[in-house]
Amino acid sequence: MRVRRVGESPVEVGTTDSLGQVTFAELLPGRYDITSLRLLSASEAMQVAVADSTLAGISALGGGARVHVQPPLVAVEVEAVAGRRGSLVISEIHDWWPRLTGGPTAQYSQARYIEVYNHADTTVYLDGKILGHGLWYVWESELNESSLDNCTQFESWRMDPDGVWSEQHLRFPGTGREYPLAPHEARVVATQAIDHREVHPELGLPDLSMADFEVVGTGQDVDNPAVPNMEHAGFRPSVDALGRGLVHVHYSPFIADNVDLEALATDKLPLRDPDYRRFPAATILDLVTVYRDPATLAWDSRVCDHLVSPIFDRQPAPIWDGLAGNSIHRRVLGMTASGQVILQRTRTSAVDLMRGPRSPGRVP
């Protein structure tokens, strides 16, 4: 069990007793992020499956909550839910956005990517799958009392248990069986499938010329003819202000199954670009939630307690860092008998994700 006061760096760690209880003494009043993780050994997982066949495949229990610690509060319950391997999962997010030497605010955003991994034991076909992101408005400012409370205003969409609302999303190309992904293999979706080292040699950018897919924008954007293009399937293209293609790497990136977009529920949100689709819960194959650690911010702002309904992710990971240079990875839980990687997936990003060296196309 880990406890951390929101906006501060120190983390307190404790181990629960046989009743699942742990005590943290002398906590100051305030808001705290609490995470829990219980890994199951191979023998424990087998015992669980024998006792209840519906629980087969469980490898870990994870949970998280954000609570207000204020006297006379003395106890908080954090529910840990069963984690299963799933099929297609997000295994790496490269969120680097380095500053350029030309100025303190100019940054290079074209070397970012998302890696997807076949976590199942059978082949998955990427054709038609959706790579999207959830609602952006998951923060509020505390600079002054008149600041808009986005957490409250967008709560009905942000916390919708029936699905994830998305404005911009990308569809993998293919008509059905053109892009197979064998068990325990990974594919990279790059913002630009080029050798970024040649663009700014001084930065140490990655070579993504061998990426598996790329996002080509609507403006003057590079198109590698050897790399298939993702299809813009949202209400507006996934591009930046210059029309260059984007891979969205923060807040709530998700993978959804092939679905008829025209059949999905839609709504108009109180935004400049109001049109959003809801991807039903049954179509969501994997989702993670990440945001920048408030302790690293120079201004006073607050991310909503939940970025999406806990049905999809119980607690976000405050590890997004555009200046770090490395990547966000899903933790390795173990190996199969044949030596294949098993990743941790408890639907609690705060315990499932970590930062580490970038490794596009390779897990771990």
Side-chain angles (χ1 to χ4, degrees):
M1 185 81 73
R2 297 165 63 90
V3 174
R4 182 190 186 199
R5 198 162 188 249
V6 176
E8 298 182 5
S9 297
V11 176
E12 294 195 41
V13 181
T15 302
T16 58
D17 58 22
S18 59
L19 299 177
Q21 298 177 344
V22 61
T23 299
F24 294 94
E26 301 180 358
L27 293 180
L28 297 173
R31 296 163 60 248
Y32 286 81
D33 282 331
I34 304 176
T35 57
S36 63
L37 178 65
R38 170 68 161 90
L39 303 179
L40 301 184
S41 66
S43 61
E44 288 175 325
M46 184 176 297
Q47 291 174 23
V48 169
V50 170
D52 187 343
S53 61
T54 64
L55 299 179
I58 292 175
S59 53
L61 303 172
R66 177 169 288 184
V67 301
H68 292 262
V69 174
Q70 190 73 30
L73 179 68
V74 295
V76 173
E77 183 175 308
V78 178
E79 180 184 10
V81 297
R84 287 183 168 85
R85 285 170 59 180
S87 57
L88 193 62
V89 302
I90 295 172
S91 51
E92 182 181 350
I93 299 173
H94 188 52
D95 55 354
W96 198 19
W97 198 0
R99 293 192 177 98
L100 302 179
T101 56
T105 59
Q107 293 180 281
Y108 186 77
S109 62
Q110 301 303 297
R112 294 183 286 183
Y113 62 83
I114 285 183
E115 178 189 81
V116 298
Y117 180 69
N118 183 359
H119 212 203
D121 294 323
T122 57
T123 297
V124 170
Y125 290 89
L126 295 176
D127 303 53
K129 299 288 193 293
I130 297 291
L131 180 62
H133 66 94
L135 191 65
W136 284 52
Y137 289 84
V138 291
W139 53 267
E140 64 183 10
S141 172
E142 296 177 348
L143 295 176
N144 57 70
E145 294 181 357
S146 62
S147 296
L148 181 65
D149 182 353
N150 289 319
C151 297
T152 299
Q153 184 179 20
F154 295 96
E155 182 172 0
S156 62
W157 299 286
R158 175 175 59 88
M159 296 291 289
D160 190 344
D162 294 327
V164 178
W165 290 89
S166 177
E167 174 202 15
Q168 294 172 303
H169 27 274
L170 300 161
R171 188 189 288 278
F172 283 89
T175 58
R177 301 175 72 87
E178 295 180 43
Y179 296 99
L181 182 57
H184 306 286
E185 286 190 353
R187 296 289 184 268
V188 173
V189 180
T191 296
Q192 285 190 346
I194 63 173
D195 187 350
H196 296 273
R197 299 173 301 178
E198 299 178 356
V199 182
H200 293 284
E202 76 282 2
L203 293 178
L205 295 165
D207 178 5
L208 298 179
S209 60
M210 300 302 290
D212 302 284
F213 302 91
E214 70 171 340
V215 183
V216 175
T218 58
Q220 294 183 349
D221 204 358
V222 176
D223 184 3
N224 184 337
V227 177
N229 294 335
M230 298 290 284
E231 301 170 3
H232 296 279
F235 282 107
R236 63 188 182 99
S238 296
V239 298
D240 63 14
L242 299 178
R244 299 174 300 187
L246 284 179
V247 173
H248 296 279
V249 297
H250 58 304
Y251 293 137
S252 305
F254 66 84
I255 307 172
D257 210 350
N258 193 350
V259 63
D260 180 3
L261 296 179
E262 299 304 316
L264 300 184
T266 62
D267 204 355
K268 291 187 178 294
L269 279 62
L271 298 168
R272 181 183 63 183
D273 298 300
D275 295 308
Y276 278 68
R277 286 190 179 99
R278 181 174 64 192
F279 286 84
T283 70
I284 302 297
L285 302 176
D286 192 40
L287 178 147
V288 297
T289 53
V290 294
Y291 66 95
R292 187 167 176 179
D293 187 347
T296 67
L297 297 176
W299 63 89
D300 193 6
S301 64
R302 181 172 78 87
V303 175
C304 308
D305 292 352
H306 292 282
L307 309 191
V308 294
S309 167
I311 289 175
F312 305 106
D313 195 88
R314 301 187 69 81
Q315 189 175 47
I319 59 175
W320 184 87
D321 188 350
L323 299 178
N326 54 13
S327 289
I328 297 169
H329 292 265
R330 189 177 292 277
R331 294 179 184 273
V332 174
L333 185 62
M335 308 289 286
T336 66
S338 59
Q340 304 294 344
V341 172
I342 299 175
L343 300 178
Q344 182 172 304
R345 183 174 177 270
T346 68
R347 292 179 295 161
T348 306
S349 291
V351 298
D352 289 345
L353 305 180
M354 60 179 290
R355 297 204 69 95
R358 62 180 180 241
S359 56
R362 180 175 54 85
V363 178

